[in-house]
Amino acid sequence: MAKTRRFFCNLSGLVAYSSFKGTYHIEDEEPNNEASIVSDMDAWSFSLIASKNLAKFTFFGGLDYSMATSVSHFQGVYTMPEQGEQFQGVLNQVEIENKDYGFSGSLGLNYQINHIKTQLMLNLQKYSNISIGVGYCFGE
């Protein structure tokens, strides 16, 4: 019988896409002006995640590359009592575009005592953070 070799850790990958389209309607005294700000956002994320179980401990880490683009613009008729129609023409031509991309990494540890699980995770990115969690597992 052949002996099965195992890889030293568990590996997984993730590819994610998100799309957001939103409209914020600006309330005005004139109900038919349909003044609003329209935003569109698209984001991609590519992740590689590894974990290793040792007794009641699970060590894990991940590497992620994300990129996002958002575009917002004004539409409709805006009532501007001080500037009047001069400002209206300029405002409808304004479009704001943002692009963001970058790498992030995470390291963490899970520990289970009977039905209680604890988690400690460090996320390294532009705005790094540490999270701690405690949970109770039903039915295990």
Side-chain angles (χ1 to χ4, degrees):
M1 192 163 162
K3 186 176 181 182
T4 306
R5 297 195 76 170
R6 291 186 171 208
F7 198 61
F8 70 95
C9 68
N10 301 314
L11 287 176
S12 60
L14 171 69
V15 176
Y17 172 74
S18 297
S19 179
F20 170 80
K21 297 182 186 311
T23 302
Y24 176 74
H25 297 281
I26 300 170
E27 293 183 19
D28 199 353
E29 296 157 2
E30 297 180 31
N32 296 326
N33 67 4
E34 298 181 14
S36 59
I37 300 171
V38 178
S39 296
D40 294 320
M41 185 184 89
D42 293 306
W44 283 94
S45 181
F46 305 91
S47 301
L48 182 61
I49 306 151
S51 66
K52 177 69 176 170
N53 294 329
L54 295 172
K56 293 185 178 190
F57 291 96
T58 302
F59 299 92
F60 62 91
L63 183 62
D64 180 77
Y65 179 76
S66 298
M67 54 189 164
T69 302
S70 66
V71 178
S72 298
H73 63 275
F74 296 93
Q75 72 180 22
V77 178
Y78 301 88
T79 304
M80 302 286 187
E82 296 169 5
Q83 274 75 26
E85 292 180 15
Q86 290 179 332
F87 190 70
Q88 174 68 43
V90 173
L91 191 58
N92 276 335
Q93 296 175 19
V94 173
E95 183 174 277
I96 301 166
E97 183 174 347
N98 291 311
K99 291 185 179 185
D100 196 14
Y101 52 89
F103 284 96
S104 67
S106 59
L107 294 172
L109 170 69
N110 289 337
Y111 180 69
Q112 183 169 350
I113 306 169
N114 297 327
H115 293 283
I116 297 174
K117 284 189 175 183
T118 59
Q119 179 184 47
L120 174 65
M121 186 168 135
L122 170 65
N123 194 329
L124 303 169
Q125 56 188 8
K126 186 175 181 179
Y127 301 102
S128 297
N129 61 57
I130 295 175
S131 61
I132 298 171
V134 177
Y136 184 81
C137 301
F138 295 96
E140 284 188 13

